[in-house]
Amino acid sequence: MRPSHPDRSDPENEAVRSGIDRTLPLLLKGYTWLPGLRRDRPGDGPVATRLLGRPTRVLRGPDAVAFFYDEHHARRSGALPGPVLDTLFGRGAVHTLDGPEHRVRKAMFLSLLTGPEAVGELAGRVAGGLRERLAGRDGREEVGLFDEGALVLARAVSDWVGLPGHDDAAAARLGRDCVAMVDGFATPGPRHLRARRARKRQEEALAAEVVRARATPPAGPPRTPFEAVVAHRDADGTPLDPKTAAVELLNILRPTVAITWFLTFAAHAMSLRPRLRQRLAREEPAGLARSFAHEVRRFYPFVPFLGALAPDGLVLDGERVPHGTLLLLDVYGRDHDPALWEDPYRFVPDRFLAASPHTHALIPQGGGPRDGHRCPGEDITVAVLAAAAPVLARLDFTVPEQDLRIPLHRVPTRPRDGFRIVVGDGAGTEAAGSGAPRSLAGGGRP
């Protein structure tokens, strides 16, 4: 997909003027809305529609990812709606920046979140925390893996980031609040209100810690991610104000806690596939755990799509696009595109054994180059899942009768009953979970 010279269209073309706003169908259909819209309008060209009252273009075709992550074609400033900023990302976050401001801020995140030693340390903390939290139970109590995972991740990342004075109680509050932020960003009603309150509570607490830390700055260079954010200076040479520093700290903490969605999906996948669970427990062949992590991220729904805004003068498929038009990249649909993935609705970790996924193919956390708008925490997600999968596989757990369907209309989604397990009843890796479905939503596909 490339911009082209206008040859046939007016910025306010009839298709957009008469287009029906698709916000309600999005809220009703969730992950299946955008793939369905693309399917109903064949071809590789952009699909024109309206969303949130704004003219919208859905990008598709083999070059869609590269196009979307080229800053000449899409800008992030102003792209995220206020409700998403006030719950998920925070006002002034790196996700809202463009140009030099984005590159300087993003460089801080890359320095903190992509080094193999630091990533390996965090993954090891999570794996050890899961083992300590879940192993050795007596098989008489059901536990919710989603909630347990969030607690383990919050404790691990709090220690790893170096949050001052963060005890177990504070880590538990952080875990609950980060889950609320993610769970409520894409929906109106009580979940959204909980998300707003959780973000406000954590931003205020972390901003206070930033103020205290700056009152007595440490000697020497930063030793922890917390100290690095506190000391960071933006492209104009000024330090982050305490609120923005708190926002960016949460943009390390929150996505790490959100890995509990993938941990739950990982357990869901292996509970349906006892032989795969046995292979993961043995960690054979080498590299299987990492391949499994990639397939969990590809197969299960997490982010439905990503958005940006059209800059002035953008032309798509011979049509001049109005400045500020919303550009959407279909994440869930691309990760299940039969043109990219053989048998995309089968869970097949071995597809990634031969080679790591291409930058523009697997995009559950976005795509494009590392120094662009691709998620800087992707390495952490893969490493944590790869470290945790064998721990879960070896854990002596069974899956009691429950509703394990994964509704595709809910964003973000998870198994309906949260994936409850019983640990320590002697079933070991033979457990498969009674009544577990073999499709994400009772046979539904987008």
Side-chain angles (χ1 to χ4, degrees):
M1 179 177 293
R2 296 188 179 94
S4 59
H5 297 292
D7 60 8
R8 59 178 172 81
S9 61
D10 181 84
E12 293 297 322
N13 63 79
E14 184 64 27
V16 174
R17 279 202 306 269
S18 62
I20 299 172
D21 191 278
R22 303 289 179 178
T23 304
L24 182 58
L26 166 61
L27 294 174
L28 293 175
K29 296 181 179 181
Y31 295 91
T32 67
W33 169 71
L34 202 49
L37 188 67
R38 293 171 55 211
R39 184 182 59 245
D40 293 343
R41 305 184 190 182
D44 281 342
V47 177
T49 186
R50 282 186 177 274
L51 194 64
L52 299 172
R54 183 184 298 220
T56 300
R57 297 294 185 279
V58 179
L59 305 179
R60 56 182 176 174
D63 300 325
V65 175
F67 184 94
F68 184 80
Y69 283 96
D70 186 327
E71 288 190 357
H72 295 95
H73 304 155
R75 62 180 177 85
R76 270 65 186 180
S77 179
L80 292 170
V84 176
L85 292 175
D86 292 333
T87 53
L88 193 64
F89 295 116
R91 302 275 176 170
V94 65
H95 312 79
T96 67
L97 305 178
D98 290 303
E101 291 81 6
H102 175 261
R103 285 190 286 275
V104 171
R105 187 87 62 86
K106 181 65 175 286
M108 173 187 70
F109 281 91
L110 290 174
S111 69
L112 298 175
L113 305 181
T114 59
E117 184 176 343
V119 169
E121 180 190 349
L122 178 54
R125 285 179 183 271
V126 174
L130 273 177
R131 194 179 297 110
E132 179 182 345
R133 181 79 182 170
L134 295 176
R137 295 183 180 240
D138 59 11
R140 291 179 292 184
E141 175 189 3
E142 288 187 9
V143 296
L145 183 61
F146 182 92
D147 294 332
E148 294 293 321
L151 177 60
V152 168
L153 286 157
R155 286 177 173 171
V157 74
S158 297
D159 291 342
W160 181 80
V161 165
L163 294 183
H166 228 247
D167 56 16
D168 285 351
R173 287 193 298 273
L174 175 69
R176 289 192 298 270
D177 283 346
C178 287
V179 165
M181 291 177 215
V182 179
D183 194 52
F185 84 93
T187 182
R191 281 166 55 199
H192 188 78
L193 293 176
R194 282 195 296 271
R196 283 177 175 266
R197 288 195 294 266
R199 170 161 285 282
K200 184 175 186 294
R201 183 164 48 242
Q202 289 297 328
E203 281 186 3
E204 289 175 350
L206 290 169
E209 292 293 352
V210 170
V211 171
R212 279 192 285 271
R214 285 177 175 166
T216 54
R223 297 166 297 174
T224 65
F226 174 80
E227 292 180 357
V229 173
V230 169
H232 174 76
R233 291 182 177 271
D234 265 342
D236 61 1
T238 61
L240 301 175
D241 65 85
K243 183 179 183 299
T244 304
V247 164
E248 300 299 30
L249 283 167
L250 279 172
N251 281 324
I252 299 173
L253 300 165
R254 171 193 47 77
T256 304
V257 175
I259 296 173
T260 196
W261 267 265
F262 283 132
L263 281 177
T264 305
F265 290 146
H268 184 276
M270 68 178 69
S271 73
L272 296 178
R273 300 165 183 84
R275 291 182 182 177
L276 174 59
R277 183 175 170 184
Q278 291 166 1
R279 292 173 64 202
L280 285 166
R282 297 192 301 267
E283 293 190 76
E284 293 178 357
L288 176 62
R290 191 173 183 85
S291 301
F292 175 78
H294 284 312
E295 184 69 344
V296 167
R297 294 164 63 238
R298 184 199 71 82
F299 183 79
Y300 285 92
F302 190 62
V303 177
F305 55 79
L306 298 168
L309 296 181
D312 191 29
L314 181 66
V315 177
L316 287 175
D317 199 30
E319 174 191 339
R320 188 182 297 278
V321 177
H323 177 262
T325 292
L326 185 61
L327 305 176
L328 297 184
L329 180 66
D330 182 4
V331 172
Y332 181 69
R334 191 172 182 89
D335 286 340
H336 294 81
D337 188 343
L340 295 172
W341 309 101
E342 182 179 355
D343 214 350
Y345 290 96
R346 284 187 62 225
F347 187 88
V348 186
D350 290 33
R351 72 174 80 237
F352 294 115
L353 277 175
S356 294
H358 189 275
T359 300
H360 295 331
L362 182 65
I363 58 166
Q365 294 168 265
R370 281 179 175 270
D371 58 353
H373 282 269
R374 192 181 189 100
C375 176
E378 188 171 21
D379 287 356
I380 284 176
T381 301
V382 174
V384 166
L385 285 174
V391 173
L392 290 173
R394 295 181 193 122
L395 193 67
D396 183 19
F397 78 87
T398 56
V399 183
E401 188 73 32
Q402 61 191 287
D403 189 349
L404 294 183
R405 288 176 297 171
I406 298 173
L408 293 179
H409 68 274
R410 188 189 198 276
V411 180
T413 192
R414 62 173 104 164
R416 288 182 186 271
D417 284 347
F419 205 82
R420 304 190 313 276
I421 61 175
V422 177
V423 183
D425 64 357
T429 58
E430 297 302 317
S434 59
R438 299 210 174 262
S439 67
L440 289 180
R445 289 187 182 183

